Amino acid sequence: MALDTQVVFAKPVSHACDLLAVLVGEGAVTAGKISDAHLNDLDRALGGLLGTVAVQEEFTGKEGQQLSLHTHGKVAAQRVLVLGIGKHGDPDRARDALRTAASRAVKVARPAGARTLALVWPHAEAARLQKADGSDELEREVQALAEGASLGAYSFDKYKREKKSLKLARVHILARDERTARRGGEAKARAGLSGAARLGARIADATCLARDLVNEPAGRVTPGGLAATARDVARDTGLAIQVLGPAQIRKLKMNLFLGVSQGSAEEPRLVRLSYVPRAKSVGKPVALVGKAITFDSGGLSLKTAQGMEDMKTDMAGAAAVIAAMSLVPEIAPPFPVHGYFGACENLPSGTAYKPGDVLVGRNGVSVEVLNTDAEGRLVLGDVLAWAAEDEPAAIVDLATLTGAILVALGPWTAGLFSNDDALAGEVQAAAKAAGEPVWRMPLPAEMEELIKSPIADLKNTGGRHGGSINAALFLQHFVGKRPWAHLDIAGPSSLDKEKGYNPRGGTGAGVRLIAEWLRQRAAQRD
Ligand code: BES
Ligand code: MN
Ligand code: ZN
């Protein structure tokens, strides 16, 4: 949802808009006393009405609390919405509360028919702190607000006759002048804040592209359809792209990938998107790899009807890679970034691969297929091996790989597996900064025996116990010694019900995380 989001330097009381959302911390109102500066200004202009209503409704600024009222012309905004954002010692958590509140404000603006929304928030005390990576906290907060607004505006209603229309066209993030002036170089500070708002909106739009791809039925997002979207993204953002079909995939000896795809009438597609910086001396590339099963029926090891209901979402990893790649030119890291996916369907048919089949992948590893529903690791095995040949400094894959990760971590947390503690630390830090929960899982060498086959190098299942770990251990056989991190996003990539700024259905999980990781890595290496 493309909202026009801008930073505006104006006083909340005198800024004209349909809805003014005032984000306040916990304790903003205690026993009728208002301590928040913005809220206080407004309360005075409204003749003490805000304070009165806050006391009546027991509003104190706790996260999730809200109150709203009409201003009857007493301030320039038609309505005021006060949103509690709670109290957070941790700046990453505080920023996520801003994201959530901004999305909440948009969700209030929608039924109210507001065309313009203004957001004010208690600019963090850390606002003047210059961070090690060159960005400052005030900019990060503006970015989070812009992200939250556009993420909250999303709805997938293209197939509905009755659409919940969004009149909202403009979001103004109100920054105060004194704050920026004090930091010296006012113009520069203003440009920084505007850039942060633009980046936040772009990241949210990319996230919504991933959501759309996940929400579209498998009849539309076919392997060819997914490759076509990657082509569109490449054209629009100036990335290079390579799209290969069955003959070329065969030439590459990707028999694990071909095995999975052979049961379907849809041809597989192997895609590589590339960003290469303009500068002459470029660092080693970074590789992003996404699982791209456009429909997972389980194949001959057929899933139950219920188990299949959501399996159009089994390409969420590739959706995140495509969306994140679309942001790379904007982030402009000093190293190349490649995005890879092998797209196909996993279907049963007379030509389908069978339990018991032995396939030899691109890197020479042979696999006994015991369960055709453990297909993601097969395709990823070949694509990871291919990506590793580009000699990346780091590989990160995103995959809706196992139902077991939902059992382990629940619906909102991605599993992180890595052979490299430094890379794992980077991914954890980026995830935290982006507000995307991840939890590191182990890769115990002693569990290798569970995926050993009596007749081949590996088998593609390791039993029910530690299912996500087995799957990750399997993938590890295809990355060589390269620093690699695997994100099992089967939980957070698609939700049964809305949670904060994440809607029901596709969430775009991984997009903000990867954008943040690339940003931090770029800042380190500049
Ligand atoms: N795509 C599924 C994993 C999945 C399950 C994603 C539920 C999202 C929600 C994957 O291909 C799969 O079927 N995995 C099997 C592996 C098993 C056969 C070893 C699973 O998790 O049951
Ligand atoms: Mn499967
Ligand atoms: Zn799958």
Side-chain angles (χ1 to χ4, degrees):
M1 194 75 238
L3 285 179
D4 176 12
T5 308
Q6 285 172 21
V7 178
V8 174
F9 298 88
K11 277 210 162 67
V13 176
S14 51
H15 183 73
C17 57
D18 295 335
L19 181 67
L20 170 65
V22 187
L23 282 46
V24 299
E26 173 136 32
V29 188
T30 36
K33 277 250 178 306
I34 299 178
S35 60
D36 181 89
H38 295 308
L39 205 58
N40 214 10
D41 286 355
L42 284 161
D43 187 54
R44 227 171 296 150
L46 292 168
L49 193 59
L50 274 174
T52 310
V53 176
V55 171
Q56 276 170 0
E57 300 192 7
E58 297 181 21
F59 180 96
T60 59
K62 281 206 185 83
E63 188 162 12
Q65 285 185 329
Q66 75 179 62
L67 64 83
S68 72
L69 41 84
H70 274 273
T71 63
H72 301 285
K74 291 193 178 114
V75 300
Q78 293 203 352
R79 285 162 163 251
V80 172
L81 168 71
V82 189
L83 294 172
I85 53 173
K87 189 175 168 188
H88 306 281
D90 178 69
D92 291 332
R93 267 297 293 126
R95 260 187 283 108
D96 205 44
L98 293 181
R99 227 176 253 121
T100 305
S103 107
R104 182 83 253 181
V106 169
K107 284 171 197 200
V108 171
R110 187 192 284 271
R115 288 170 198 282
T116 53
L117 166 69
L119 299 168
V120 280
W121 79 109
H123 308 155
E125 263 322 294
R128 276 148 287 139
L129 284 183
Q130 200 69 22
K131 283 218 178 149
D133 66 3
S135 70
D136 82 15
E137 192 57 24
L138 194 55
E139 287 173 9
R140 307 302 321 273
E141 291 185 349
V142 165
Q143 183 190 330
L145 289 166
E147 285 174 7
S150 283
L151 291 173
Y154 180 83
S155 78
F156 188 73
D157 56 7
K158 66 184 278 197
Y159 297 113
K160 289 227 185 233
R161 207 154 24 170
E162 255 174 56
K163 303 184 199 305
K164 288 189 274 168
S165 77
L166 184 70
K167 293 203 183 119
L168 187 64
R170 206 163 307 136
V171 177
H172 284 163
I173 298 172
L174 302 188
R176 280 183 306 185
D177 262 337
E178 330 90 77
R179 182 66 77 172
T180 48
R182 208 187 298 152
R183 300 187 313 160
E186 190 175 336
K188 194 167 155 250
R190 286 187 174 205
L193 293 182
S194 299
R198 197 173 48 241
L199 180 63
R202 280 280 296 117
I203 289 174
D205 286 348
T207 307
C208 292
L209 166 66
R211 290 173 173 182
D212 277 345
L213 285 169
V214 171
N215 288 333
E216 280 288 351
R220 305 230 177 190
V221 176
T222 57
L226 200 58
T229 301
R231 251 194 220 293
D232 291 345
V233 165
R235 192 198 48 226
D236 295 347
T237 61
L239 300 168
I241 185 167
Q242 204 180 355
V243 179
L244 308 181
Q248 293 147 307
I249 298 169
R250 190 156 300 114
K251 254 205 203 126
L252 289 169
K253 300 201 177 93
M254 294 191 173
N255 295 312
L256 303 177
F257 181 14
L258 288 171
V260 175
S261 80
Q262 78 190 32
S264 163
E266 296 284 344
E267 284 187 356
R269 289 286 181 270
L270 177 63
V271 176
R272 179 171 67 172
L273 284 158
S274 294
Y275 161 85
V276 182
R278 285 171 204 275
K280 277 271 172 331
S281 73
V282 290
K284 270 194 182 181
V286 152
L288 306 173
V289 178
K291 174 172 171 180
I293 302 297
T294 60
F295 188 75
D296 181 12
S297 72
L300 286 171
S301 312
L302 196 64
K303 288 183 185 292
T304 60
Q306 213 197 345
M308 233 181 269
E309 279 176 6
D310 278 341
M311 282 303 124
K312 67 173 183 183
T313 71
D314 211 15
M315 32 53 71
V321 168
I322 294 170
M325 285 303 296
S326 80
L327 295 168
V328 179
E330 188 124 342
I331 298 166
F335 47 81
V337 182
H338 303 299
Y340 309 77
F341 62 89
C344 69
E345 296 184 323
N346 184 25
L347 294 181
S349 74
T351 62
Y353 76 144
K354 306 167 188 70
D357 278 354
V358 175
L359 309 171
V360 183
R362 171 155 181 83
N363 73 346
V365 171
S366 62
V367 180
E368 183 185 16
V369 177
L370 289 183
N371 190 320
T372 62
D373 197 12
E375 84 297 339
R377 67 198 74 181
L378 297 172
V379 178
L380 281 171
D382 271 341
V383 179
L384 284 169
W386 192 49
E389 292 166 29
D390 289 334
E391 306 195 341
I395 307 175
V396 177
D397 80 69
L398 301 102
T400 48
L401 201 62
T402 65
I405 202 70
L406 276 139
V407 176
L409 300 179
W412 303 308
T413 303
L416 166 66
F417 300 81
S418 182
N419 61 359
D420 187 284
D421 289 344
L423 177 60
E426 287 178 22
V427 172
Q428 282 172 310
K432 188 165 162 289
E436 292 204 54
V438 307
W439 191 258
R440 187 157 180 198
M441 302 280 287
L443 286 166
E446 65 270 26
M447 274 178 75
E448 286 285 348
E449 72 177 67
L450 298 180
I451 56 169
K452 282 210 172 101
S453 157
I455 66 166
D457 299 327
L458 298 174
K459 57 184 181 183
N460 76 334
T461 60
R464 264 172 39 78
H465 295 156
S468 306
I469 300 175
N470 296 329
L473 283 170
F474 184 97
L475 296 183
Q476 191 172 220
H477 286 267
F478 298 86
V479 296
K481 290 265 175 296
R482 310 229 156 247
W484 157 74
H486 156 58
L487 286 161
D488 193 335
I489 57 169
S493 58
S494 166
L495 301 180
D496 290 341
K497 63 179 211 290
E498 176 184 286
K499 182 171 165 55
Y501 48 78
N502 280 321
R504 193 210 69 84
T507 61
V511 178
R512 275 178 296 124
L513 188 164
I514 294 296
E516 178 62 21
W517 175 59
L518 292 174
R519 206 188 60 77
Q520 293 193 2
R521 223 174 141 96
Q524 263 166 34
R525 273 147 241 252
D526 242 345

